[in-house]
Amino acid sequence: MATLHRPDPSLDIWKARSHPLDPIFLPRSVAVVGATEREGSVGRTVLWNLISHPFGGTVYPVNPKRHQVLGIRAYERLSALPEPVDLAIIAIPAAGVPAVIQECVEAGVKGAIVLSAGFKEIGPEGLELEKAIQEAARGKLRLIGPNCLGIQNPHTGLNATFAAQMARPGNVGFISQSGALCTSILDWSLRENVGFSAFISLGSMLDVGWGDLIDYLGEDPHTHSIVLYMESIGDARSFVSAAREVALSKPIIVIKAGRTQAAAQAAASHTGSLTGSDAVLDAAFRRCGVLRVDHIEDLFDMAEVLAKQPRPQGPHLSILTNAGGPGVLATDTLIRAGGSLAQLSPQTLEQLNSILPPHWSHGNPIDILGDAGPERFAQALEIVLRDPASQGCLVILTPQAMTDPTATAAKVVETWRRSGSRQPILASWMGGDLVDAGEQILNQAGIPTYRYPDQAARVFSYLWRFSDNLKALYETPTLLPATAVEGERVQPILGQARQQGRRLLTEVESKEILAAYGIPVVPTRVVKSPEAAVEAAAEMGYPVVLKLYSHTLTHKSDVGGVQLNLPDAEAVRRAFAQIRRNVSEKAGPEHFQGVTVQPMIRTDGYELILGSSEDPQFGPVLLFGSGGQLVEVFQDRAIGLPPLNTTLARRLMENTLIYKALKGVRGRRAVNLEALEQLLVRFSQLVAEQRQIQEIDINPLLASGEQLLALDARVILRSEQEPPVPLAIRPYPSQYSWPFREGITIRPIRPEDELLVIQFHRHVSDYSIYLRYFHPIKYSARIAHERLVRICFNDYDREIALVAEKQEPEATILGISRLSKKHGLPEEAEFALLVADPYQRQGIGTELLTRLIQVARCEGIRRLTGEVLSENEGMRRLCRRLGFQLLPSSEDPGLLRATLDLAADAALPTPCPA
């Protein structure tokens, strides 16, 4: 047994709080199962790392064949240890791991790290071992691995890895699926003086995954940014949920292996996991505010710049340089990465003219010439930082004979600080030893430096893309007009197809489903004979279109099943015969069940495609882009995750080339983009609600200045034996809506409610705010967009806020209650309640909290807790009336802890709305 000094946990608020992963990252005692003295073995290396890096805990070697290891008493098994340990590190052959995990559970161990390899990455035999481990550990301990390097907590000194070195303390949380990459990054970080708040090798993610660790580091005050090396996503919904929450306060930067098919196959064989579609993964990263980079060096460049510099307000960069070539290289990289050069104002150009030699570049990049000294750099920088068109500045220095890199760096820092500019500033001091001192001055002042200007330009492009995407995600969307969605019309259509043994719906059935969700469709009639076709055409009016009607064929054009622009009855008869002949020759007569007759629509608009298919990891994904017969040729498309709101729908459209045309080009009228946004939102609602549908697409969706119209549609149902993959993002839980008295409705909050919440706070007194938050909050702070984002943009997997709303004489929120699930403790949640002053003591608070308790039961919560000020007599009475137990808080004598044990009446039926 070895006991090591540990810092006082009372000095760290985070460590003083309990979390299910604390036994892994903050253990008081560690057992090394498989500890040995054999040189070069994993068991010896881990034990040596633990005892040679004091972390304040006790270390126990476990080895049934030895009495001591490295001079420390060894124990035969975990049950023989003198105390229960927090963490077991397992370094034995894979076949023995399930039994050790079972022993961990029996001995009360709460955390385990399995270093051993030989599991699902080797095939079915290893997969069976993993299942045995999961069965033993489920709900009883948390486990990292298997097939991992281990973890390091540099701030406590814990080194639970078999790496040769210990990371320096810092503020970057690093998580990697590749142990080999961990050791390489660790070696690089020591050379570059980069520090970490946590250094984690994740391995195969049998239990603890990305979402768990992002949540944990998100609460860690030592962690300012999170960097990921990812090969597979694992639990996609958990990752997206955690990243959406944490990315609002801490940047998450990821490099994902497997962009190409060959790399994806290599990653799959490495981890034994599916890697999924790379385009879908990109969409998921964008949706949750994660920045994806392409190079390992970019991971840490971005972590540094996001920690040191403000976010740019746009893509426009000013480049200040004493040499033309590096400025051109930086410009090329900037433009290729989607950025742009700032258009300097006439005033800025005039001011630069007054201080620069006549032969300066007279534009951006601002080449101030090779003989520029520190003063010229400083004067030019001061002018550029004042230009409102500049949203970022890159200063490039090349060491020429008359250049003073050190003095110039000092002047740049002085000018930047004096300016008070809120645009990010980067520097590229090119060269070797000559510029080292200048680089050090810049870095110490918080200005990131890069040896090459193209690298700096790429970092700026990443920076503005990250900022722009995060801002766009949380723009307040607009509420859709009250269009009746008749989802109940869909089930009979799907049921009829199932009864007939069909998975492919007909065009008519597909259009009926679209129409049920308010998506305009072209009128369509099914006919079985030429005479019926002529009759239908006469009723619609010529010209018309005839299309194949088939229960089995989906691509009608491929079999000659479409005849356009038919002007009269004779043309309709010929077209009917031609389609029947084409289908019989190319596919077989059994595939012909008739034709559909539709009016010929003028196609002077744009042909778009809107569709959805199911990703094996992320569930349904949406596709929008250029449509028509050449959709596969042009490949102009954007991918998103449902559900959408109007803001997200607009962003999806903006990521395509056709979007520029939709805004109106060359005299053509712009498409009604607001209506198109709303159509995309309703389509995403269809996809989220109708989970029997595996694939659906509208192609083409005609978009013109006059109308939006689905000309053709295709729907494929999933096999009845194939369960749907859950949505990556939980949709709006409309089932938690109830009518209350006097026209008041209780419903979940939504992002579109931001303006209503601002109005709500106008009627909440400072005293009510004090009773709710235990301290005053200014009105301006209460209604700040950044704060309201966290109130209105709920991740319904994590929290559900209910509002009491009345519609007359205008929409008004009267009160808000909130249920927040605890990280790592999915069966526990906290509650909160606030009612506007004019509506207090009218039963609204009682109804909101009663409904919140019902939601908690339906969500599987077994324990509901909250804190109440002792002086808040009204809340105390309400809690007691609803069955809460009120006890004094152990942390603050002025607070009461309200607890409701929902597990006690778990046997009672809970009326959970469908």
Side-chain angles (χ1 to χ4, degrees), residues 473-621:
L473 284 175
Y474 298 103
E475 287 177 8
T476 306
T478 57
L479 190 62
L480 289 187
T483 302
V485 171
E486 301 173 291
E488 66 278 2
R489 287 171 50 190
V490 175
Q491 291 310 310
I493 299 171
L494 304 184
Q496 181 181 5
R498 292 283 192 204
Q499 287 177 359
Q500 296 174 357
R502 291 188 288 120
R503 292 180 58 202
L504 175 67
L505 300 193
T506 66
E507 179 186 351
V508 175
E509 291 168 331
S510 301
K511 286 179 176 176
E512 286 179 6
I513 291 174
L514 296 178
Y517 279 82
I519 296 172
V521 296
V522 64
T524 304
R525 290 264 300 274
V526 179
V527 297
K528 303 295 180 70
S529 67
E531 291 72 23
V534 170
E535 182 181 344
E539 291 178 7
M540 288 182 182
Y542 291 100
V544 295
V545 175
L546 262 60
K547 296 182 182 179
L548 167 68
Y549 179 73
S550 173
H551 292 164
T552 53
L553 297 180
T554 176
H555 295 295
K556 294 178 280 289
S557 296
D558 293 350
V559 293
V562 179
Q563 295 288 317
L564 303 174
N565 206 23
L566 306 174
D568 51 37
E570 185 57 35
V572 168
R573 291 189 184 93
R574 287 197 304 268
F576 188 99
Q578 186 65 51
I579 290 175
R580 179 158 51 188
R581 187 163 50 250
N582 290 344
V583 173
S584 297
E585 292 173 355
K586 296 182 178 181
E590 70 275 12
H591 298 288
F592 180 86
Q593 278 84 47
V595 301
T596 63
V597 183
Q598 305 170 24
M600 183 71 193
I601 304 297
R602 290 176 53 207
T603 56
D604 55 352
Y606 300 97
E607 290 190 336
L608 306 176
I609 184 171
L610 177 58
S612 173
S613 60
E614 191 167 88
D615 182 84
Q617 293 173 310
F618 289 92
V621 296

Side-chain angles (χ1 to χ4, degrees), residues 519-522 599-610 624-625 627-628 662 668 671-672 675-676 679 698-712:
I519 296 172
V521 296
V522 64
M600 183 71 193
I601 304 297
R602 290 176 53 207
T603 56
D604 55 352
Y606 300 97
E607 290 190 336
L608 306 176
I609 184 171
L610 177 58
F624 172 84
L662 298 179
R668 299 180 71 170
V671 170
N672 185 339
L676 185 55
L679 189 150
I698 307 170
N699 184 28
L701 171 66
L702 179 65
S704 68
E706 294 78 29
Q707 63 182 340
L708 299 170
L709 195 61
L711 299 185
D712 203 350

Side-chain angles (χ1 to χ4, degrees), residues 585-667:
E585 292 173 355
K586 296 182 178 181
E590 70 275 12
H591 298 288
F592 180 86
Q593 278 84 47
V595 301
T596 63
V597 183
Q598 305 170 24
M600 183 71 193
I601 304 297
R602 290 176 53 207
T603 56
D604 55 352
Y606 300 97
E607 290 190 336
L608 306 176
I609 184 171
L610 177 58
S612 173
S613 60
E614 191 167 88
D615 182 84
Q617 293 173 310
F618 289 92
V621 296
L622 304 173
L623 178 143
F624 172 84
S626 301
Q629 290 185 344
L630 299 180
V631 61
E632 286 89 0
V633 176
F634 291 130
Q635 293 283 308
D636 174 29
R637 64 189 182 190
I639 291 176
L641 300 181
L644 298 179
N645 56 39
T646 55
T647 301
L648 296 171
R650 178 65 66 102
R651 282 294 168 139
L652 186 66
M653 291 153 52
E654 288 173 352
N655 285 330
T656 61
L657 297 175
I658 193 69
Y659 177 72
K660 294 179 181 178
L662 298 179
K663 293 190 294 183
V665 291
R666 297 192 175 183

Side-chain angles (χ1 to χ4, degrees), residues 378-379 382 385 411-421:
Q379 290 175 326
E382 184 176 7
L385 291 177
K411 275 291 185 184
V412 165
V413 170
E414 177 189 334
T415 304
W416 173 56
R417 286 176 170 166
R418 190 174 62 245
S419 73
S421 173

Side-chain angles (χ1 to χ4, degrees), residues 178-248:
S178 167
L181 188 71
C182 277
T183 56
S184 301
I185 293 293
L186 184 55
D187 185 55
W188 167 87
S189 71
L190 296 170
R191 187 177 69 250
E192 297 293 325
N193 200 28
V194 173
F196 296 95
S197 57
F199 199 83
I200 305 165
S201 169
L202 196 53
S204 298
M205 300 189 295
L206 188 58
D207 173 36
V208 173
W210 297 110
D212 300 299
L213 294 172
I214 289 170
D215 273 332
Y216 193 72
L217 296 180
E219 295 180 354
D220 173 19
H222 299 302
T223 300
H224 297 172
S225 57
I226 300 171
V227 167
L228 315 176
Y229 170 79
M230 179 183 289
E231 292 180 352
S232 61
I233 193 76
D235 185 340
R237 189 159 178 165
S238 172
F239 169 82
V240 170
S241 181
R244 286 177 71 199
E245 178 171 316
V246 173
L248 276 170

